[in-house]
């Protein structure tokens, strides 16, 4: 970004233009045309996020998730991911699904065992929304979560998503699809199909 562009972003941002605030935040975060300063980026992300800008909400959530430019706060990350996800932002839906899938939020709850299953279902809900929008990473992750939840219906659906991700060249999903065919999880056992997908995964650098 040129310094001239930064100047106009600053003018618009100071006048409350959400898109300019977001773009200015990205410039500070990435060091485009200005000296990179994540704390300043978070300040502009926050202003745009407060006005409902889904990209700013997603980037602000990521800053809270990893403690970039602000104190790490996963609950605050979830709050902003949800706001963006509810506006249909596919990457926010994917990231939110991952947070539920990884079980990181269970640390804040009293009964981890009872609620882990509910969190997996919540993960599947958000990953499915992202996958339906064609988010490549969400497609494979959804297969993993449905497989983890278990049950014949979820396992059959996991195969569907593994196939989509495998066809996109995702080596993890190719390997997982091979396992489904090897052990008959969500699909009829078919060793030739298992070998086919294991081979594709290996050719794509999968190390298992």
């Amino acid at each position: 970004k040129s310094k001239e562009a930064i100047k106009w972003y600053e003018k618009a941002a100071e006048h409350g233009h959400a898109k300019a605030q977001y773009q200015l935040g990205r410039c500070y975060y990435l060091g485009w045309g200005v000296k990179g300063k994540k704390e300043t980026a978070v300040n502009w992300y926050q202003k745009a996020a407060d006005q409902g800008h889904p990209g700013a909400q997603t980037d602000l959530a990521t800053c809270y998730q990893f403690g970039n430019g602000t104190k790490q706060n996963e609950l605050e990350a979830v709050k902003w991911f949800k706001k963006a996800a509810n506006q249909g932002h596919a990457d926010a839906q994917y990231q939110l699904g991952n947070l539920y899938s990884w079980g990181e939020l269970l640390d804040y709850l009293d009964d981890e065992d009872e609620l882990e299953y509910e969190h997996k279902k919540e993960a599947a809900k958000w990953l499915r929304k992202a996958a339906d929008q064609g988010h490549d990473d969400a497609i494979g992750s959804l297969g993993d979560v449905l497989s983890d939840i278990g049950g014949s219906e979820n396992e059959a659906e996991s195969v569907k998503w593994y196939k989509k991700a495998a066809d996109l060249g995702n080596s993890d999903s190719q390997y997982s699809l091979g396992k489904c065919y090897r052990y008959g999880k969500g699909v009829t056992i078919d060793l030739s199909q298992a070998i086919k997908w294991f081979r594709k995964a290996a050719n794509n650098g999968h190390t298992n």
Side-chain angles (χ1 to χ4, degrees), residues 28-200:
Y28 275 105
Y29 193 90
L30 298 167
W32 288 344
V34 290
K35 186 175 180 180
K37 191 172 182 182
K38 289 184 168 55
E39 291 81 4
T40 305
V42 168
N43 178 57
W44 287 113
Y45 285 159
Q46 184 73 63
K47 289 179 184 295
D50 286 339
Q51 294 196 69
H53 191 289
Q57 290 170 340
T58 302
D59 285 2
L60 179 62
T62 302
C63 289
Y64 276 118
Q65 183 181 1
F66 297 107
N68 293 332
T70 188
K71 187 176 180 181
Q72 187 174 20
N73 186 331
E74 286 183 327
L75 292 181
E76 197 70 10
V78 169
K79 167 188 161 183
W80 288 106
F81 277 138
K82 275 189 175 177
K83 285 180 181 290
N86 281 324
Q87 293 193 69
H89 194 284
D91 196 54
Q93 293 166 342
Y94 167 65
Q95 299 294 349
L96 185 58
N98 276 343
L99 276 174
Y100 279 109
S101 172
W102 296 336
E104 294 188 12
L105 303 177
L106 295 174
D107 293 341
Y108 303 101
L109 303 170
D110 294 328
D111 190 338
E112 293 187 14
D113 290 337
E114 182 180 337
L115 288 164
E116 184 174 3
Y117 175 72
E118 292 301 320
H119 273 219
K120 290 289 186 185
K121 289 202 299 184
E122 190 73 4
K125 180 183 87 171
W126 289 111
L127 289 171
R128 187 179 284 109
K129 287 178 182 291
D132 283 341
Q133 294 195 66
H135 192 292
D136 289 356
D137 291 332
I139 291 169
S141 295
L142 179 55
D144 290 335
V145 170
L146 290 168
S147 180
D148 287 345
I149 294 172
S152 59
E153 189 174 324
N154 288 319
E155 289 174 0
E157 189 185 354
S158 77
V159 170
K160 179 187 87 169
W161 292 107
Y162 280 148
K163 281 182 177 176
K164 284 179 180 286
D167 286 338
L168 290 168
N170 184 314
S171 63
D172 289 334
S173 293
Q174 290 169 342
Y175 179 74
S176 295
L177 184 57
K179 284 173 64 178
C180 291
Y181 279 113
R182 170 67 180 85
Y183 298 107
K185 191 172 182 181
V187 70
T188 303
I189 289 175
D190 187 329
L191 297 183
S192 65
Q193 282 291 314
I195 291 168
K196 167 189 166 182
W197 288 108
F198 285 147
R199 185 173 288 130
K200 282 181 179 286

